[in-house]
Amino acid sequence: MRNSLLFLFFKKRLVNLKTFLYILPMRKEIAIAPMLDWTDKHFRYFMRQMSPHLTLYTEMISTEALIHGETKRFLDFNPKESPLILQLGGSEPQKMAYCAKLAEKASFQGVNINAGCPSERVEKGGWGASLMEKPDLIAENIRAMKEVCSLPISVKTRIALAEEEHPFDALCHFVKTMQKAGASQVIIHARKALLKKGFSPADNRTKMALDYDLVYRVKEQFPDFSLLINGDISTLQEVEAHFNHMDGVMIGREAYKNPYHIGQIAHEIYGTPLLERKEILQQMASYIEKENPARVLYITRHMMGLYKGTEFAKIYKKVLMQNTLKDILYFLNQVPF
Ligand SMILES: Cc1cc2nc3c(=O)[nH]c(=O)nc-3n(C[C@H](O)[C@H](O)[C@H](O)COP(=O)(O)O)c2cc1C
């Protein structure tokens, strides 16, 4: 039945092959990584213009901040950002469950537990990368969250802590524990984490070696459980190579620095339309007008990379620095593309 439907679709050219691959349940995923201070709601709205099919993440929000801080602001997003996942930092099951419930009420599509952040502040709080050593505690959190909310609960982690002598076994045990607890997915940043005074999260992103191969081998042990790979992925060729082994990829810095490139990659993979840069800028001008025309830079600071790699990159950045909607609209009317 399914095969004959497929045949009919292609014969009648109702959809092209890439689009059909997207709507099949086994579609490979491209997610944009949670990044503190970067993936706020304005960046996410901007990033959504690149493709309807990217999974987007909030910045990491601690349970303390969400419960006792500006709850409404943290949960605020534009429906067009969906599919959007809320990333939580925390390790107390009751608080995590409460926050998961808030996420469900606010219409997020999922909740992600941060079990990979190597910052000292986070380590002191007893969550982030230090949770890698406590998979049972994460499992307890997942179960508590699933009891009160029906959203998928995923986990973002690294391969293991730096001192781990058997990282393959440790990661297999970690993933198995998450799967058994009912997690929907594990995202693996393909590096170990070194928790040491003075060794910053940035050092942890740049000075620790990548080991994609180990992550691939772990995936082989879990053919029916969704595993994404993350770390220094930036080209279509790299994405396709990872797709041969994994259920998808998560991309961080390249998406922020060169967002349109991610749009081009998604377009190649899924075959869905890609707006011209100028059209994206037009969309963003309307968004700025509605959202916050008095504080344009809050939004445009995330848009600096739109023309990266083109002859207009420099002038475009200069225009955004002018910090007024009028300048952006003037630029829009001048550019010959
Ligand atoms: C500025 C910045 C902030 C980050 N904040 C978070 C965060 O809030 N939560 C998280 O899980 N990872 C965070 N990360 C790590 C990224 O999600 C990602 O794992 C890392 O950058 C590696 O992916 P990439 O090489 O594609 O950038 C952050 C990374 C950067 C550069």
Side-chain angles (χ1 to χ4, degrees):
M1 173 66 181
R2 185 164 151 152
N3 282 348
S4 47
L5 262 180
L6 268 174
F7 177 72
L8 187 73
F9 268 126
F10 292 131
K11 192 166 173 222
K12 301 274 180 197
R13 292 181 184 273
L14 292 179
V15 289
N16 72 25
L17 175 64
K18 281 181 177 171
T19 306
F20 208 90
L21 284 178
Y22 169 72
I23 55 181
L24 283 178
M26 66 281 270
R27 175 178 75 95
K28 301 277 182 177
E29 182 174 352
I30 303 177
I32 304 303
M35 288 178 284
L36 213 54
D37 204 34
W38 288 7
T39 53
D40 67 10
K41 66 174 195 162
H42 302 315
F43 173 72
R44 297 185 314 248
Y45 187 91
F46 172 58
M47 207 60 216
R48 177 56 71 220
Q49 308 306 313
M50 310 302 153
S51 166
H53 301 315
L54 304 168
T55 311
L56 301 182
Y57 282 72
T58 66
E59 307 163 81
M60 175 182 65
I61 301 166
S62 72
T63 50
E64 296 307 317
L66 192 55
I67 297 168
H68 304 296
E70 299 171 77
T71 311
K72 215 169 146 206
R73 181 171 73 80
F74 287 131
L75 296 175
D76 180 38
F77 65 92
N78 187 306
K80 289 196 178 146
E81 291 170 39
S82 300
L84 175 64
I85 313 289
L86 177 79
Q87 191 189 52
L88 284 178
S91 59
E92 293 173 64
Q94 259 192 340
K95 289 183 182 172
M96 292 289 272
Y98 180 76
C99 291
K101 186 98 188 129
L102 288 179
E104 186 169 47
K105 274 197 193 146
S107 299
F108 283 86
Q109 274 73 51
V111 178
N112 177 263
I113 301 175
N114 183 323
C117 177
S119 98
E120 275 179 52
R121 185 181 65 85
V122 164
E123 194 191 347
K124 277 190 192 130
W127 35 282
S130 61
L131 280 177
M132 283 192 275
E133 274 186 318
K134 300 172 188 158
D136 291 337
L137 177 57
I138 307 177
E140 203 186 314
N141 276 277
I142 293 170
R143 283 191 288 268
M145 293 160 89
K146 285 180 73 75
E147 226 163 75
V148 298
C149 100
S150 55
L151 293 179
I153 310 291
S154 61
V155 180
K156 180 168 180 276
T157 190
R158 285 177 170 237
I159 287 177
L161 292 181
E163 55 273 23
E164 175 59 60
E165 285 176 11
H166 305 287
F168 173 79
D169 295 338
L171 187 55
C172 281
H173 173 68
F174 184 94
V175 171
K176 195 170 182 180
T177 312
M178 299 307 109
Q179 185 184 26
K180 268 174 84 178
S184 58
Q185 180 180 72
V186 174
I187 302 144
I188 304 159
H189 183 175
R191 292 186 161 91
K192 284 179 159 183
L194 178 59
L195 303 182
K196 193 174 99 178
K197 208 170 161 48
F199 199 75
S200 68
D203 291 335
N204 258 294
R205 275 192 295 275
T206 50
K207 296 182 180 165
M208 302 299 286
L210 278 164
D211 192 348
Y212 294 142
D213 197 53
L214 185 144
V215 178
Y216 295 162
R217 287 191 289 119
V218 170
K219 172 63 199 170
E220 281 168 16
Q221 306 297 310
F222 299 91
D224 302 321
F225 183 61
S226 176
L227 290 180
L228 302 194
I229 193 163
N230 166 241
D232 285 15
I233 302 168
S234 56
T235 66
L236 175 64
Q237 289 71 27
E238 287 164 3
V239 169
E240 286 177 331
H242 289 303
F243 279 180
N244 288 330
H245 304 270
M246 307 295 295
D247 300 294
V249 296
M250 175 176 265
I251 303 176
R253 287 163 290 178
E254 176 69 8
Y256 196 82
K257 290 178 189 152
N258 198 358
Y260 198 70
H261 185 213
I262 306 300
Q264 290 167 325
I265 291 174
H267 171 68
E268 283 300 318
I269 302 267
Y270 303 128
T272 43
L274 172 63
L275 295 178
E276 297 288 334
R277 287 183 175 87
K278 195 172 168 169
E279 293 172 305
I280 291 175
L281 200 49
Q282 257 149 3
Q283 296 287 343
M284 290 310 292
S286 309
Y287 175 76
I288 292 168
E289 204 155 27
K290 280 191 214 125
E291 192 68 26
N292 201 346
R295 295 184 124 159
V296 176
L297 202 62
Y298 273 37
I299 301 170
T300 53
R301 75 183 181 105
H302 297 305
M303 297 162 46
M304 297 290 171
L306 181 61
Y307 283 86
K308 190 177 162 75
T310 75
E311 57 183 303
F312 302 102
K314 230 175 167 175
I315 172 87
Y316 168 73
K317 269 192 186 173
K318 237 179 167 173
V319 169
L320 287 199
M321 297 294 217
Q322 297 301 312
N323 198 14
T324 74
L325 190 56
K326 213 172 104 208
D327 285 310
I328 296 172
L329 293 173
Y330 181 76
F331 175 76
L332 259 172
N333 292 326
Q334 299 301 312
V335 282
F337 50 89

